[in-house]
């Protein structure tokens, strides 16, 4: 289960998930362009996708290189990883503070 996504460049640095259904909601005014679709692309990136880079040109042009860290929970054990926008073919295994321990190919 995906438990957390963390990035220093996000407005809300740490997004946590819980068991069951998690939703991505906009504001009470129904505003557009506030990041809902971009966040779905980030979730795809965490799972190995590349659309975050290909379809979020504004993000890439304005934020530049950044790293997205994420945590999974499997069989009561947490696993920590990171992937950056510069070397998208590499995933880093991390400690619980997202310090890189080793790398592996996507």
């Amino acid at each position: 289960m995906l438990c957390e996504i963390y990035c220093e460049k996000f407005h809300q640095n740490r997004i946590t998930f819980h068991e069951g259904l998690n939703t991505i909601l906009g504001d009470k005014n129904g505003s557009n362009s506030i990041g809902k679709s971009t966040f779905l692309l980030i979730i795809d990136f965490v799972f190995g996708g590349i659309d975050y880079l290909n379809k979020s040109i504004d993000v890439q042009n304005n934020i530049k290189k950044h790293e997205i860290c994420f945590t999974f929970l499997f069989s009561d054990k947490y696993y920590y990883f990171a992937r950056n926008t510069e070397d998208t073919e590499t995933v880093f295994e991390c400690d619980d503070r997202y310090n890189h321990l080793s790398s592996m190919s996507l």
Side-chain angles (χ1 to χ4, degrees):
M1 176 185 123
L2 178 62
C3 297
E4 171 181 273
I5 296 177
Y6 173 84
C7 181
E8 291 179 358
K9 301 286 185 167
F10 292 171
H11 177 70
Q12 179 183 334
N13 298 130
R14 188 175 313 274
I15 294 102
T16 56
F17 300 92
H18 57 82
E19 280 192 50
L21 179 65
N22 291 264
T23 59
I24 300 170
L25 299 173
D27 61 16
K28 292 179 182 179
N29 299 324
S31 301
N32 287 320
S33 300
I34 61 171
K36 298 181 300 290
S37 296
T38 300
F39 188 65
L40 290 173
L41 292 173
I42 290 166
I43 292 172
D44 176 68
F45 186 74
V46 163
F47 282 98
I50 197 73
D51 284 345
Y52 176 59
L53 300 177
N54 296 335
K55 296 183 178 179
S56 300
I57 303 303
D58 288 342
V59 171
Q60 300 310 316
N61 288 339
N62 293 306
I63 296 179
K64 309 288 188 219
K65 175 188 168 191
H66 57 286
E67 183 169 79
I68 297 175
C69 303
F70 45 99
T71 304
F72 288 106
L73 175 64
F74 297 114
S75 300
D76 296 323
K77 183 176 178 187
Y78 290 97
Y79 297 87
Y80 304 90
F81 301 95
R83 189 173 174 210
N84 67 57
T85 57
E86 186 174 60
D87 178 10
T88 61
E89 293 300 313
T90 301
V91 177
F92 297 95
E93 184 177 4
C94 302
D95 64 16
D96 61 354
R97 294 183 180 199
Y98 295 116
N99 296 307
H100 297 183
L101 300 175
S102 62
S103 64
M104 64 188 99
S105 174
L106 184 63

